[in-house]
Amino acid sequence: MDLAKFKKVSHATWEAMAPGWDERHQYFEKIARPVTERMLTKLDPSTGAQILELAAGTGDVGFSVASLVGPGGKVIVSDFAQAMVDAARRRAESQGLENVEFRVLDAEALELEDNCVDGVICRWGYMLMENPGAALRETRRVLRKNGRISCAVFSGPTHNPWAAIPAKVLVEHGHMPAPTVGTPGILALGDRERLLELFTATEFKEPAIDAVDFTVHASDFDDYWDLLSRAAGAIAMVLGRLDDTAQQQVREAIADAIRPFSSGGRIEMPAQSLVVSAS
């Protein structure tokens, strides 16, 4: 897929995911809190700092940063999808946040000046980009000399069965291609060596990687299916294109595959993110 076509598809995907993310923002913040806290610790923003959040979704990570930089600081909460930015703005208004600015920005071609922010934070964004190296170069460009990045991506499939199992089922049923190295996706940057190479190639100094475990849970299979079909990016888009028969076959196969993670109907599946920090 060429770059222009990929961006068009990716943009449509995340515009479509915005309602599901908006409705589930409390759920995402609860399960991801260990990841967010590690990211904030590694960013360590000073009072009065100017921080950019990329691929912000509904903005909760940026809002946490806003409380740390104080009224003299500023957080630019940005996403590539207008619907996500709109959802984040509504949430900020409901919380009375005044030190947050909202922008629609493409992380691979940031419409920002050089050396304009003290820090960049991005949870679960770089692995979904067509060219994460280009995005990291842009991140380095907008950071001031001693500015820091703190970002999270998902580890590989063995650490994230909640995403790996549905993807495997869809591949086995012929509904999506098997992932290849370099293809964007939820688990695309789970290899530590590749991560380090990306950061060092874009002139970040001494990148450090922390593995953070957490749990993806659902009250029952219907709840898990709702997560997959309304919020799981490319997986959700594939599921949405299936006819009723194919969708039911996939649903049954996924339900059978995740049975080891179900007890009394409730589902609890391990998850892991890699938090990368550098300056």
Side-chain angles (χ1 to χ4, degrees), residues 2-266:
D2 64 45
L3 180 58
K5 185 175 181 181
F6 174 84
K7 281 188 177 292
K8 184 176 181 179
V9 171
S10 181
H11 184 264
T13 296
W14 292 104
E15 290 283 353
M17 294 301 103
W21 275 72
D22 196 13
E23 290 175 19
R24 281 185 169 266
H25 74 266
Q26 290 182 329
Y27 167 83
F28 285 125
E29 289 321 297
K30 182 178 180 181
I31 66 167
R33 198 63 210 173
V35 179
T36 302
E37 288 177 354
R38 187 68 59 87
M39 292 171 67
L40 296 175
T41 298
K42 292 295 183 177
L43 186 68
D44 191 25
S46 302
T47 302
Q50 312 288 301
I51 306 297
L52 170 65
E53 183 184 15
L54 296 173
T58 54
D60 292 281
V61 177
F63 301 159
S64 294
V65 177
S67 67
L68 298 176
V69 301
K74 181 176 75 173
V75 179
I76 302 170
V77 170
S78 75
D79 199 278
F80 155 75
Q82 180 71 59
M84 288 291 195
V85 174
D86 291 343
R89 182 182 287 109
R90 289 193 299 271
R91 297 208 55 247
E93 289 172 353
S94 72
Q95 295 179 39
L97 296 176
E98 296 182 351
N99 61 339
V100 181
E101 176 185 330
F102 298 91
R103 297 280 300 273
V104 176
L105 293 175
D106 179 349
E108 295 174 61
L110 291 169
E111 295 180 358
L112 296 170
E113 296 178 359
D114 295 356
N115 312 311
C116 64
V117 295
D118 301 300
V120 172
I121 198 160
C122 178
R123 188 183 68 190
W124 303 337
Y126 288 109
M127 72 266 183
L128 302 175
M129 298 173 191
E130 168 74 10
N131 190 337
L136 286 169
R137 283 191 292 275
E138 281 290 272
T139 297
R140 179 65 269 174
R141 178 183 66 78
V142 302
L143 276 170
R144 295 184 175 124
K145 183 178 179 181
N146 295 316
R148 287 189 62 75
I149 180 175
S150 180
C151 69
V153 299
F154 285 104
S155 299
T158 58
H159 295 288
N160 290 285
W162 67 273
I165 288 173
K168 184 172 183 287
V169 168
L170 287 169
V171 170
E172 290 173 346
H173 282 70
H175 301 308
M176 59 187 289
T180 57
V181 175
T183 302
I186 293 174
L187 308 178
L189 292 182
D191 181 272
R192 287 171 178 255
E193 285 190 16
R194 185 179 178 216
L195 265 182
L196 289 173
E197 287 172 1
L198 282 170
F199 274 79
T200 55
T202 46
E203 300 183 3
F204 282 100
K205 299 174 185 175
E206 299 181 350
I209 299 177
D210 294 359
V212 181
D213 295 315
F214 61 107
T215 302
V216 171
H217 58 77
S219 57
D220 54 25
F221 185 77
D222 286 340
D223 185 31
Y224 177 63
W225 183 257
D226 182 78
L227 171 67
L228 294 179
S229 59
R230 300 184 65 238
I235 290 173
M237 297 300 278
V238 173
L239 291 175
R241 290 196 296 266
L242 301 181
D243 62 34
D244 291 346
T245 299
Q247 193 171 104
Q248 186 60 31
Q249 290 172 344
V250 167
R251 181 184 170 105
E252 290 173 0
I254 293 174
D256 185 59
I258 70 164
R259 207 174 303 280
F261 303 101
S262 178
S263 178
R266 183 173 176 80

